[in-house]
C-alpha cells in the first residue's frame, strides 16, 4: 500500500491557537453548558476570563495531542520539538486563513476529485463557512489582558502554529510538480 511514491501522510487544517481556544469556549458554552439537555448552571454564565483563569481551559492542546502527552503536567521544549518533527515528517499542512489553497492541496495530494453536484455543493459550503454550528463571537485582540491570559495556556501551540505556517510555505513545492 505505501511505497516511496505513495507515502502515508496525515493532513491538518491549522487555526491560530488563541482563535481556536476562544471559539471552543463559545461553542461549548452555547452547545453544552446552556443547552437544556446538558445545562450546567455553574458554567452557563462563566466568562471567558474566568474560564481561562480557572484551570478548565485547554492547555497547548495540539502539542499535547501530537506528542501523546494529554495528561502530562507542564510541557517543555522537548515536547514542542517532537510535535514540530511530527508535523514536518508526517503532515500535509493546511491553514484556516488559507482554506481555499489548503483544500486544493489536500485534494491534489491525495488525488481526490469532486464527482457529483452534491460533492461540489458540500465543498463550496465548507469553503464558504456555511455550516450550521458556526458560532459568531467577538475576536480577542492581541495585546489585551485576555489575549495574554490565553497565550500563557498555549505558548507551545502558538510556536507550533508559527512552525506550521512555515511548513505550509515550504510544502508549496509539493504542488509545483507531481511530488508525493
Amino acid at each position: 500500500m505505501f511505497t516511496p511514491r505513495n507515502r502515508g501522510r496525515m493532513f491538518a487544517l491549522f487555526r491560530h491557537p488563541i482563535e481556536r481556544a476562544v471559539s471552543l469556549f463559545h461553542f461549548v458554552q452555547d452547545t453544552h453548558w446552556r443547552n437544556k439537555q446538558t445545562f450546567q448552571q455553574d458554567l452557563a454564565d462563566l466568562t471567558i476570563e474566568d474560564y481561562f483563569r480557572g484551570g478548565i481551559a485547554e492547555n497547548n492542546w495540539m502539542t499535547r495531542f501530537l506528542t501523546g502527552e494529554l495528561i502530562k503536567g507542564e510541557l517543555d521544549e522537548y515536547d514542542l520539538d517532537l510535535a514540530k518533527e511530527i508535523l514536518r515528517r508526517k503532515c500535509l499542512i493546511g491553514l484556516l486563513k488559507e482554506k481555499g489553497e489548503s483544500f486544493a492541496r489536500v485534494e491534489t495530494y491525495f488525488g481526490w476529485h469532486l464527482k457529483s453536484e452534491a460533492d461540489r455543493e458540500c465543498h463550496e459550503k465548507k469553503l464558504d463557512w456555511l455550516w450550521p454550528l458556526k458560532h459568531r463571537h467577538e475576536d480577542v485582540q492581541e495585546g489585551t489582558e485576555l489575549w495574554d491570559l490565553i497565550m500563557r495556556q498555549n505558548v507551545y501551540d502558538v510556536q507550533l502554529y508559527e512552525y506550521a505556517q512555515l511548513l505550509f510555505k515550504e510544502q508549496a513545492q509539493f504542488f509545483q510538480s507531481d511530488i508525493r
Side-chain angles (χ1 to χ4, degrees):
M1 177 184 212
F2 299 117
T3 66
R5 171 118 172 88
N6 188 28
R7 296 186 306 245
R9 186 174 287 264
M10 68 176 166
F11 66 90
L13 192 62
F14 284 82
R15 183 178 191 183
H16 192 285
I18 293 179
E19 292 174 9
R20 183 191 72 226
V22 169
S23 182
L24 178 65
F25 166 79
H26 289 287
F27 173 80
V28 172
Q29 189 172 55
D30 288 347
T31 61
H32 295 286
W33 302 337
R34 292 180 178 163
N35 183 302
K36 62 183 171 184
Q37 281 105 9
T38 56
F39 183 78
Q40 294 180 348
Q41 179 65 49
D42 57 328
L43 299 175
D45 297 321
L46 185 69
T47 68
I48 192 168
E49 291 84 1
D50 288 341
Y51 175 73
F52 281 97
R53 281 189 195 108
I56 59 175
E58 64 178 66
N59 175 282
N60 293 300
W61 181 84
M62 182 58 73
T63 305
R64 290 178 183 282
F65 181 78
L66 287 169
T67 61
E69 296 291 358
L70 298 175
I71 59 172
K72 180 179 180 180
E74 291 295 316
L75 297 180
D76 55 34
E77 292 294 323
Y78 173 81
D79 298 306
L80 175 62
D81 290 342
L82 179 58
K84 286 179 175 181
E85 183 65 7
I86 290 167
L87 290 186
R88 185 185 69 77
R89 293 182 59 214
K90 300 182 181 282
C91 190
L92 179 61
I93 303 293
L95 299 175
L96 192 58
K97 69 180 183 178
E98 300 282 349
K99 64 184 172 236
E101 174 66 19
S102 297
F103 271 59
R105 287 182 183 190
V106 169
E107 291 163 356
T108 299
Y109 189 88
F110 291 103
W112 295 344
H113 305 285
L114 303 175
K115 296 179 180 166
S116 69
E117 186 58 35
D119 290 347
R120 283 184 281 287
E121 185 177 315
C122 178
H123 186 270
E124 184 178 313
K125 283 181 181 179
K126 296 303 179 198
L127 285 177
D128 291 334
W129 287 89
L130 298 175
W131 39 36
L133 294 178
K134 172 105 173 91
H135 286 272
R136 301 274 180 224
H137 53 78
E138 289 186 27
D139 292 335
V140 174
Q141 299 302 312
E142 188 169 357
T144 63
E145 184 180 332
L146 180 55
W147 178 280
D148 293 343
L149 180 63
I150 299 168
M151 177 67 140
R152 285 191 294 274
Q153 295 291 321
N154 292 284
V155 170
Y156 291 120
D157 273 9
V158 169
Q159 292 177 58
L160 188 65
Y161 177 75
E162 290 167 353
Y163 184 67
Q165 290 178 300
L166 176 68
L167 289 176
F168 182 79
K169 290 177 186 172
E170 289 178 3
Q171 289 178 356
Q173 70 178 333
F174 291 168
F175 307 97
Q176 295 171 353
S177 63
D178 193 27
I179 299 172
R180 280 193 257 163

